[in-house]
Amino acid sequence: MKTGTIRQILLITDGCSNQGEDPIAMAALAKEQGITVNVIGVMEHDVIDEQGMKEIEGLAMAGGGVSQIVYAQQLSQTVQMVTRKAMTQTLQGVVNKEIQQILGGGRTVEDLPPEQRGEVMEVIDELGETVELDVLILVDTSASMKQKLPTVKEALLDLSLSLNARSGDNHFSVFVFPGKRKDVEKLLDWTPKLESLTSIFAKLTTGGITPTGPALREALPYFDKKRSLRSFLNRDDESFFEESV
Amino acid sequence: MMMNPSLKNLSKISSGTIIEGKWHHNRYTIIKQLGFGANGIVYLARHDSKQVALKMSDNGMSVTSEVNVLKAFAKVQGSALGPSLLDVDDWETSEGKVSFYVMEFIKGPDFLSFLKQKGPDWTGVMVLQLLADLQLLHDNGWVFGDLKPENLIVTGPPARIRCIDVGGTTMQGRSIKEFTEYFDRGYWGLGSRKAEPRYDLFAVAMIMINTAFPQRFTKKSGGLEEIMEKVKQSPELTRYEKIISYALSGKFLSANEMRMEIIQVHLPDAPSRSNRQQKTAKQPPFPRQPARSPVKKAKSSTSVQTRKQFNKGKKKFAALETITIILVISLMYFFYIYSQIT
């Protein structure tokens, strides 16, 4: 069974968007392109407004992902948990589709007797260990995030540690919003390791508004940039084979 | 996504509720709630006048995943670390379907409360039991993963350490499924999150530290020094200092190695000396000495070094061999071509 690459956006924010397109619509747009949107709401001390909470949940729901609201201290554990959970969810979706095709009648894994469900779960576990994973990390650097950025950095390094223990390949890229001139700014291009983040994060400046919607919209094409590079390489390979045959 | 009853609703099941399985038709009467976690709720229930623990979750796949692990535990001969699995089924409620599984009810105080009651004399014994079980688990290709005092319960008498949450158990070579920061070597910057026996041994050492620091200290910048600093402050841990340091830095390759050293610590020092040497002569994985003797330590590290050098020498020899062969063959080929041309 071929699952291809799992593509996720991980949005780390502390509140409500206040400029540009409706972020929930942008999350839905991402989902349509096969990209899951996960959201982590970071709060300081119980200060997260109702509206912000609603938006965080709405984003993940529209983006087919997972959302979680945490205190800054628990961020590390949550970031890796959310990423993993979303990955399993996506894989379950893929496996469910296959099973529906086999069984017919809209039946899913949950309709199988518990014994067979266990075997399916083993397949999902195995896939989760080996599948290729692309995570685009989108960090809110509006003024209110200033205190939390060191914790965000720790959490991202921790994520890299967790995911790189898998046998499948990982690619991470990091974007911050608002950017200096644009809505979103690229900090780190696709890379298997996040360690290089340490030096870049120290220089980050915070401030400004929270254009979550535009940031999501502008981040989406970056998945294709990566893919187009790879398909270019692949095409090269193929043409080579054609010539040699 | 199918609509399932939320975790919150599941936590409100009142005592006396009868849960009947859809597939196996067993009936369980809820007695009371035992625990509540991110992955589900555990109830004490009655089945055929026997007490059992019943775990349900709004996430059916997490139930399935844990059941898989419990089945794997059942295959580990002679280990009683995890609870035994009794039943897996679905419960159909008016709100939707809930997956649950039923396991043996393990009764007793948790690890830290037990030690608080009984005193630090029991730390060594409990850790020895735990290590013996871990060795069996490791031998079968698994790593426990989320080892922590909250997950450990002491049943008895006779006192026996058991584990109630097996959700983190991972096949060796994969990435650790679940962990708790304080007991995770990755968090302290002392290793990867790849499932291997040494991952569990790190957690065991942290559990030992936790017995002396029930409040758990917070990480500053991580690293071995920082933890050992704390260990040195505790009089209870002095006798285990070296063992803890070895386990934290991944120098024990198996649970058995660590176990042997803890046994050594508890042996009376003077009388059985010759006996001891005989015993350990077979497997000397750990420079055995009455604490702080830098000479021995240095010796062990040099032995590792010489082994490395030996390997290097071997590699060098192999490379030389390859080059010689290539040279000879190309020379012969050259003469052959030369003879063809002329």
Side-chain angles (χ1 to χ4, degrees):
Chain A
M1 185 165 35
K2 195 173 159 12
T3 49
T5 307
I6 291 192
R7 304 190 292 170
Q8 294 185 358
I9 288 179
L10 177 68
L11 174 66
I12 300 176
T13 179
D14 68 345
C16 243
S17 67
N18 49 22
Q19 203 200 34
E21 292 97 332
D22 179 1
I24 295 180
M26 292 304 116
L29 187 68
K31 193 188 174 193
E32 289 307 315
Q33 297 175 37
I35 298 164
T36 317
V37 180
N38 303 311
V39 195
I40 294 176
V42 200
M43 59 177 181
E44 205 111 29
H45 326 271
D46 294 316
V47 276
I48 196 149
D49 56 318
E50 193 77 7
Q51 211 187 343
M53 199 119 95
K54 251 192 192 150
E55 185 177 297
I56 286 164
E57 280 171 11
L59 276 169
M61 202 184 278
V66 178
S67 72
Q68 185 82 39
I69 287 161
V70 287
Y71 291 109
Q73 301 91 299
Q74 300 153 331
L75 193 62
S76 291
Q77 195 126 16
T78 309
V79 165
Q80 77 95 22
M81 199 258 301
V82 161
T83 309
R84 247 166 204 277
K85 212 168 156 187
M87 186 169 74
T88 316
Q89 219 172 49
T90 310
L91 288 169
Q92 270 173 30
V94 175
V95 172
N96 255 337
K97 248 183 219 157
E98 300 265 335
I99 284 176
Q100 270 172 22
Q101 269 176 10
I102 298 166
L103 300 178
R107 292 204 291 167
T108 66
V109 187
E110 312 260 319
D111 296 310
L112 291 170
E115 291 74 23
Q116 287 171 27
R117 227 179 284 163
E119 286 163 33
V120 175
M121 195 63 213
E122 264 169 39
V123 174
I124 293 177
D125 272 352
E126 173 74 36
L127 283 173
E129 188 63 28
T130 51
V131 74
E132 203 178 316
L133 178 67
D134 291 353
V135 188
L136 190 152
I137 298 154
L138 202 53
V139 184
D140 176 355
T141 52
S142 60
S144 52
M145 283 293 286
K146 194 175 187 345
Q147 304 290 319
K148 298 162 198 158
L149 281 184
T151 333
V152 170
K153 186 198 80 192
E154 288 296 313
L156 293 181
L157 293 180
D158 196 82
L159 176 72
S160 153
L161 186 71
S162 263
L163 293 180
N164 283 330
R166 301 187 318 129
S167 40
D169 284 339
N170 303 298
H171 301 278
F172 305 98
S173 67
V174 183
F175 289 76
V176 291
F177 67 99
K180 273 197 193 102
R181 269 165 238 97
K182 291 182 289 178
D183 284 328
V184 69
E185 190 184 330
K186 182 167 74 183
L187 268 197
L188 194 66
D189 208 350
W190 293 108
T191 166
K193 291 217 159 146
L194 276 174
E195 276 78 359
S196 40
L197 209 65
T198 315
S199 52
I200 314 171
F201 243 69
K203 286 179 238 151
L204 264 188
T205 49
T206 51
I209 36 130
T210 317
T212 314
L216 276 171
R217 188 200 63 219
E218 283 185 37
L220 282 179
Y222 279 94
F223 278 103
D224 291 319
K225 276 201 183 133
K226 173 168 177 289
R227 208 166 42 171
S228 62
L229 182 71
R230 190 171 309 144
S231 62
F232 174 72
L233 289 174
N234 282 345
R235 205 167 50 227
D236 232 35
D237 269 352
E238 275 160 27
S239 61
F240 172 75
F241 275 116
E242 270 163 24
E243 269 166 32
S244 63
V245 168
Chain B
M1 207 71 203
M2 198 162 32
M3 279 308 285
N4 283 335
S6 72
L7 208 55
K8 243 184 213 147
N9 286 339
L10 290 180
S11 67
K12 281 186 266 178
I13 296 173
S14 53
S15 73
T17 307
I18 291 172
I19 290 175
E20 190 179 338
K22 172 187 169 187
W23 304 89
H24 306 140
H25 306 290
N26 289 320
R27 289 158 68 93
Y28 302 94
T29 316
I30 297 290
I31 300 172
K32 64 169 185 181
Q33 189 179 316
L34 289 173
F36 185 101
N39 288 328
I41 303 121
V42 184
Y43 285 101
L44 178 64
R46 197 182 304 108
H47 172 63
D48 290 345
S49 76
K50 260 199 312 208
Q51 285 190 332
V52 292
L54 188 151
K55 181 163 182 178
M56 54 174 76
S57 171
D58 55 342
N59 180 354
M61 288 324 259
S62 99
V63 165
T64 311
S65 188
E66 282 174 33
V67 165
N68 274 353
V69 170
L70 286 173
K71 280 184 183 158
F73 265 84
K75 283 182 200 143
V76 178
Q77 290 287 319
S79 165
L81 191 56
S84 51
L85 178 70
L86 303 172
D87 192 11
V88 196
D89 217 322
D90 295 327
W91 177 41
E92 286 186 313
T93 69
S94 52
E95 288 167 79
K97 203 172 65 180
V98 184
S99 293
F100 69 88
Y101 66 91
V102 182
M103 57 193 154
E104 159 199 15
F105 172 48
I106 297 176
K107 197 175 174 182
D110 70 277
F111 186 67
L112 290 185
S113 330
F114 175 83
L115 289 181
K116 212 170 155 192
Q117 271 172 35
K118 300 269 183 169
D121 287 351
W122 284 84
T123 312
V125 183
M126 289 296 112
V127 171
L128 284 176
Q129 284 188 5
L130 181 61
L131 286 170
D133 281 327
L134 284 177
Q135 180 67 42
L136 283 170
L137 192 67
H138 295 162
D139 287 344
N140 282 270
W142 295 88
V143 161
F144 197 88
D146 199 6
L147 263 181
K148 55 179 170 181
E150 299 92 300
N151 281 348
L152 297 170
I153 275 190
V154 185
T155 60
R160 179 80 180 85
I161 201 161
R162 301 288 301 273
C163 205
I164 47 167
D165 190 345
V166 299
T169 307
T170 310
M171 223 180 266
Q172 279 178 32
R174 290 194 177 171
S175 56
I176 294 287
K177 252 193 239 164
E178 257 172 51
F179 59 88
T180 305
E181 279 177 353
Y182 190 78
F183 302 93
D184 163 50
R185 65 179 187 186
Y187 171 72
W188 291 98
L190 289 168
S192 75
R193 294 206 175 114
K194 204 154 215 101
E196 51 150 344
R198 285 183 293 176
Y199 185 91
D200 280 345
L201 302 184
F202 180 95
V204 171
M206 288 312 286
I207 289 173
M208 292 168 84
I209 294 171
N210 197 183
T211 60
F213 296 91
Q215 301 300 318
R216 293 180 196 173
F217 43 87
T218 46
K219 180 181 85 165
K220 285 188 203 84
S221 58
L224 185 64
E225 288 295 307
E226 193 182 318
I227 307 177
M228 290 316 291
E229 196 87 353
K230 289 282 180 187
V231 172
K232 285 186 185 116
Q233 286 169 19
S234 159
E236 294 166 48
L237 294 178
T238 355
R239 63 200 312 197
Y240 301 121
E241 195 184 310
K242 197 144 196 99
I243 293 172
I244 288 175
S245 152
Y246 265 62
L248 293 181
S249 45
K251 285 185 188 146
F252 288 123
L253 295 179
S254 72
N256 266 346
E257 272 183 25
M258 185 168 172
R259 205 167 172 271
M260 288 302 168
E261 286 311 316
I262 293 178
I263 290 175
Q264 294 295 332
V265 165
H266 285 268
L267 282 181
D269 219 23
S272 60
R273 183 137 205 144
S274 57
N275 220 343
R276 215 161 96 198
Q277 260 158 6
Q278 258 176 6
K279 228 192 218 162
T280 41
K282 269 182 250 162
Q283 69 269 58
F286 186 79
R288 137 186 58 80
Q289 75 270 47
R292 57 179 185 282
S293 128
V295 190
K296 275 262 178 95
K297 202 181 171 191
K299 211 172 164 187
S300 83
S301 69
T302 45
S303 83
V304 172
Q305 241 171 20
T306 44
R307 196 186 300 155
K308 262 190 202 153
Q309 272 162 0
F310 174 71
N311 278 342
K312 242 190 225 164
K314 227 169 150 184
K315 260 184 208 156
K316 241 185 218 166
F317 179 70
L320 208 72
E321 205 177 59
T322 319
I323 291 169
T324 323
I325 291 171
I326 290 172
L327 268 176
V328 167
I329 290 176
S330 51
L331 210 68
M332 282 160 76
Y333 189 66
F334 171 76
F335 281 123
Y336 166 74
I337 296 280
Y338 187 74
S339 66
Q340 291 288 311
I341 291 169
T342 54

